[in-house]
Amino acid sequence: MNTLLAAEAGSTTARNLTITLFLVFVAITLAITVWASRQTKTATDFYAGGRSFSGFQNGMAIGGDYMSAASFLGIAGIIALYGYDGFLYSIGFLVAWLVALLLVAELLRNSGRYTMADVLAFRMRQRPVRTAAAVSTITVSIFYLLAQMVGAGALVALLLGIKPGTTFLGMDADTAKVATIIMVGALMIIYVTVGGMKGTTYVQIVKAFLLMGGALAMTLLVLAKYKFNLSSLLGDAASASGKGAAFLEPGLRYGVETPGDALKTFYSKMDLLSLGIALVLGTAGLPHILIRFYTVPTARAARKSVLWAIGIIGTFYLLTLALGFGAAAIVGGSEITAQDKAGNTAAPQLAEKLGEQFLGGDLGGATLLAIIAAVAFATILAVVAGLTLASSSSLAHDFYANVVKNGQASERQEVTVARISALVIGAVSIVLSIYAQNLNVAFLVALAFAVAASGNLPAILYSLFWKRFNTSGAVWAIYGGLLAAVVLVFFSPVVSGAPTAMFPDHDWQWFPLSNPGIISIPFGFLCGWLGTILSKESDEEKYAELEVRSLTGAGAH
């Protein structure tokens, strides 16, 4: 009886501590946002933070933007449940930065003003290209937003001790998750509408410091527990996972050999290849990452910010290995899936166990869990603010100002429309996230990467490097790649026909792969090529001007 009362007291303390820490973080970030709103006077301030950030600051902010809930919660969870195969996400997300650095960062900063469409529309007809770019930006951002909101729901359920069958403030587990998703959505709308790019960037910088500190502390505790012996950590992880030696070898989730079914084996291997392609090519097409290059004053600063980002992100992804295998060894696969089927709470559960062992008892566990959960929440809030800003900027600057108003909108009108757009996009994301709660957040982000690489990347690369490329090619590339990716996802096991699908009770799937990248990315490039050669339009002088601008920065804003 006494033990039960002590456990209840511990869990109440944990809840109170967590809620307090979370409220403190929200209060700090809201204060930053209000302060930033006083510095936001022009469209350049709202969209690009007045181009006032240094390479290091922007590198930290890119890291903060990129190290999302998928990185912290999703990758740790997928490694904890699938071992070696989960490691693919860490490698893919990191290698993708080389593509962004070598092909896109500097050229994009030199060529544009606020959004990806500024580069695409430079030598083409404004209206069709900007409309297509706005549609693509919003689609990719909503896919990415789903991952963050689902992570938030899973996290709060863990923090408040809500498991299936338990209640909090009269809400069951599912209702509490929905309430959390709505709350995160409301906060992200406030960050963007009030603070603009300046507020969002400072929130991301604060969050990057917190996340690196939290991940490093947990990694050191995991290694200290095993006396820095990696072999014994991996051995325990394999034993506790319930999968044995297979946990440390490829083939548990991807490239699975199905005896007697050659077709199923082939599809599983293709899924692995598709995921790898989407992860590596996706970053260079992500709108919320691309707009970060406009917040620095020069192309050199853009290049420097990507180098800082690679250092920060690379270190972080090495730490996720220790977190994932540590969660498998110390928490155990069955306990992780009992809390969250997709494994999204593995890292916070590991924090709780480490706190109990190193800081002493339930209170120690509650303290470390509260700190790591507050960091994870910071992660989610910072990333959703960046995503919402990217999509609302595109709607206001590309669609409203340049398509609806034909370039005649005032800066004040543009910023007002951006704020209204943030509200609408936030509402749509909240509704969709409620249906996606069964999916792993790293996996959801991989879908966003596939959609970005299919629709945006072909148009960006062709625009920067192909003299013959024209309006028709750009529109075909964006809509073709985007449509292929979205249609294939809709008819894949992700949406229906599988126990972990968004709609598990329905079945309309016919596309066998979980990630569409291997089909939709080449299809996007093919559409861009075909659209270009079928149209006679060509403006070589404008291409020459773009080439000079992209390489030298001459004439860039």
Side-chain angles (χ1 to χ4, degrees):
M1 185 70 180
N2 288 342
T3 314
L4 192 65
L5 287 172
E8 278 182 17
S11 71
T12 306
T13 310
R15 280 183 181 181
N16 294 341
L17 188 63
T18 302
I19 291 165
T20 306
L21 269 172
F22 172 62
L23 291 175
V24 165
F25 177 78
V26 169
I28 291 168
T29 51
L30 284 174
I32 291 171
T33 306
V34 170
W35 169 81
S37 71
R38 291 178 183 158
Q39 324 289 316
T40 303
K41 296 181 173 65
T42 65
T44 303
D45 288 336
F46 185 85
Y47 293 133
R51 307 197 201 287
S52 58
F53 294 102
S54 68
F56 172 69
Q57 285 176 317
N58 197 43
M60 285 296 289
I62 289 174
D65 218 351
Y66 195 69
M67 297 182 301
S68 64
S71 303
F72 188 47
L73 303 176
I75 294 178
I78 218 159
I79 292 174
L81 297 183
Y82 296 102
Y84 183 94
D85 280 10
F87 178 47
L88 185 76
Y89 283 87
S90 295
I91 298 296
F93 283 145
L94 179 58
V95 171
W97 271 104
L98 296 176
V99 180
L101 173 65
L102 297 172
L103 293 178
V104 173
E106 191 176 341
L107 303 178
L108 207 70
R109 168 62 194 89
N110 280 339
S111 311
R113 286 185 70 197
Y114 303 136
T115 65
M116 171 185 81
D118 287 337
V119 177
L120 300 181
F122 182 78
R123 60 191 180 105
M124 295 166 197
R125 295 198 310 279
Q126 297 281 315
R127 287 185 145 180
V129 173
R130 285 190 182 275
T131 304
V135 169
S136 178
T137 298
I138 291 161
T139 308
V140 174
S141 298
I142 285 176
F143 265 97
Y144 214 111
L145 278 166
L146 285 184
Q148 312 309 317
M149 311 281 240
V150 168
L155 190 64
V156 165
L158 171 71
L159 293 182
L160 301 178
I162 306 168
K163 289 187 180 179
T166 60
T167 60
F168 177 72
L169 297 177
M171 296 184 286
D172 61 20
D174 292 338
T175 313
K177 282 185 180 181
V178 170
T180 305
I181 287 169
I182 293 167
M183 179 185 66
V184 170
L187 277 170
M188 81 179 177
I189 291 164
I190 292 167
Y191 287 158
V192 174
T193 53
V194 176
M197 178 58 95
K198 263 195 177 145
T200 301
T201 301
Y202 282 118
V203 168
Q204 284 163 346
I205 291 170
V206 169
K207 168 254 157 141
F209 273 113
L210 287 173
L211 186 58
M212 287 297 287
L216 187 61
M218 282 174 67
T219 299
L220 290 173
L221 290 177
V222 168
L223 294 175
K225 179 175 166 56
Y226 284 94
K227 299 184 172 59
F228 290 81
N229 183 335
L230 292 178
S231 180
S232 95
L233 165 62
L234 295 175
D236 272 15
S239 304
S241 70
K243 315 268 184 3
F247 188 72
L248 302 177
E249 295 169 4
L252 210 53
R253 181 180 171 108
Y254 297 105
V256 179
E257 296 276 351
T258 309
D261 194 337
L263 193 63
K264 201 169 179 185
T265 302
F266 173 74
Y267 285 151
S268 187
K269 290 181 175 176
M270 284 300 103
D271 222 354
L272 172 68
L273 194 57
S274 192
L275 174 69
I277 293 168
L279 292 180
V280 170
L281 297 179
T283 298
L286 289 174
H288 70 295
I289 298 295
L290 296 178
I291 65 167
R292 291 235 60 90
F293 300 138
Y294 298 128
T295 64
V296 288
T298 63
R300 187 179 176 196
R303 193 166 61 245
K304 194 184 280 186
S305 61
V306 177
L307 289 171
W308 272 110
I310 287 175
I312 293 160
I313 292 162
T315 307
F316 176 75
Y317 283 132
L318 281 175
L319 302 180
T320 59
L321 291 175
L323 300 183
F325 286 114
I330 297 166
V331 183
S334 55
E335 198 172 323
I336 292 168
T337 48
Q339 175 64 44
D340 186 271
K341 281 183 213 158
N344 294 324
T345 54
Q349 283 175 279
L350 172 64
E352 190 171 21
K353 295 279 186 192
L354 290 170
E356 286 170 6
Q357 289 174 22
F358 285 93
L359 304 178
D362 287 345
L363 186 59
T367 306
L368 194 56
L369 170 63
I371 292 166
I372 295 303
V375 168
F377 242 102
T379 298
I380 289 164
L381 291 174
V383 175
V384 293
L387 285 160
T388 311
L389 184 68
S391 42
S392 60
S393 299
S394 186
L395 252 183
H397 179 65
D398 298 328
F399 189 70
Y400 175 76
N402 287 290
V403 176
V404 177
K405 289 286 187 179
N406 210 12
Q408 302 304 307
S410 69
E411 284 197 347
R412 191 187 179 91
Q413 286 175 314
E414 223 177 289
V415 173
T416 304
V417 171
R419 287 178 166 144
I420 295 165
S421 304
L423 193 66
V424 175
I425 289 157
V428 170
S429 306
I430 289 168
V431 173
L432 288 175
S433 303
I434 291 166
Y435 290 99
Q437 291 179 63
N438 288 334
L439 301 172
N440 178 280
V441 288
F443 170 75
L444 274 171
V445 165
L447 290 184
F449 272 55
V451 176
S454 307
N456 295 345
L457 190 64
I460 291 168
L461 293 183
Y462 280 149
S463 197
L464 290 171
F465 299 109
W466 188 17
K467 191 186 291 186
R468 173 86 169 76
F469 195 52
N470 55 31
T471 306
S472 171
V475 172
W476 279 43
I478 293 173
Y479 286 135
L482 195 65
L483 205 60
V486 172
V487 167
L488 291 178
V489 168
F490 185 74
F491 289 106
S492 75
V494 175
V495 175
S496 72
T500 54
M502 284 177 79
F503 301 100
D505 301 329
H506 300 275
D507 187 359
W508 55 75
Q509 69 106 359
W510 51 260
F511 181 65
L513 307 183
S514 298
N515 192 296
I518 198 165
I519 306 288
S520 58
I521 297 170
F523 187 74
F525 278 98
L526 177 67
C527 286
W529 173 79
L530 200 59
T532 302
I533 60 163
L534 290 177
S535 166
K536 292 195 171 78
E537 178 198 349
S538 181
D539 190 341
E540 293 192 5
E541 278 182 29
K542 209 71 170 147
Y543 172 74
E545 191 183 334
L546 176 68
E547 194 172 30
V548 170
R549 177 182 283 204
S550 68
L551 292 172
T552 64
H557 295 276

